[in-house]
Amino acid sequence: MKKKLNYLSVFFLACLLSSCATIFGGKVTSAQRTKPKEGEPARKVRPVAVIADALIFWPGLIVDFATGAIYKPAPKSESEPKVEAASVKK
């Protein structure tokens, strides 16, 4: 019984010391990792992850912002590289 309690304590502590968006947010895309250049729109933040990090364990916010997991992933159309059609001369 004591051994199960120790494992449960370690698991619970690991959950509290982790950041929500990094653990549950899925794969971090390159659009989330790179900062927007001048003139580009700012990245949108996942509000649920911010609130959960703030309520559960606030240093998790630091981890989420450092990894970029706190930002919403770009839509598929924006994340795919744009390929221009090559003009064919006859």
Side-chain angles (χ1 to χ4, degrees):
M1 179 69 180
K2 189 174 181 180
K3 192 172 187 178
K4 286 183 182 181
L5 185 61
N6 286 341
Y7 285 124
L8 186 61
S9 301
V10 169
F11 176 75
F12 183 69
L13 187 62
C15 288
L16 285 177
L17 296 176
S18 63
S19 51
C20 293
T22 302
I23 301 295
F24 301 112
K27 184 179 176 186
V28 177
T29 63
S30 62
Q32 289 171 289
R33 270 188 243 121
T34 57
K35 292 183 180 180
K37 297 175 184 166
E38 284 190 40
E40 291 182 354
R43 298 175 285 182
K44 295 182 181 177
V45 176
R46 297 177 180 181
V48 175
V50 172
I51 293 168
D53 281 341
L55 292 176
I56 295 173
F57 189 67
W58 66 266
L61 279 171
I62 298 168
V63 174
D64 284 344
F65 277 106
T67 60
I70 198 82
Y71 300 108
K72 291 182 180 180
K76 295 250 183 203
S77 61
E78 290 180 19
S79 62
E80 296 175 358
K82 294 180 182 178
V83 179
E84 295 181 18
S87 59
V88 179
K89 294 182 181 180
K90 292 183 182 183

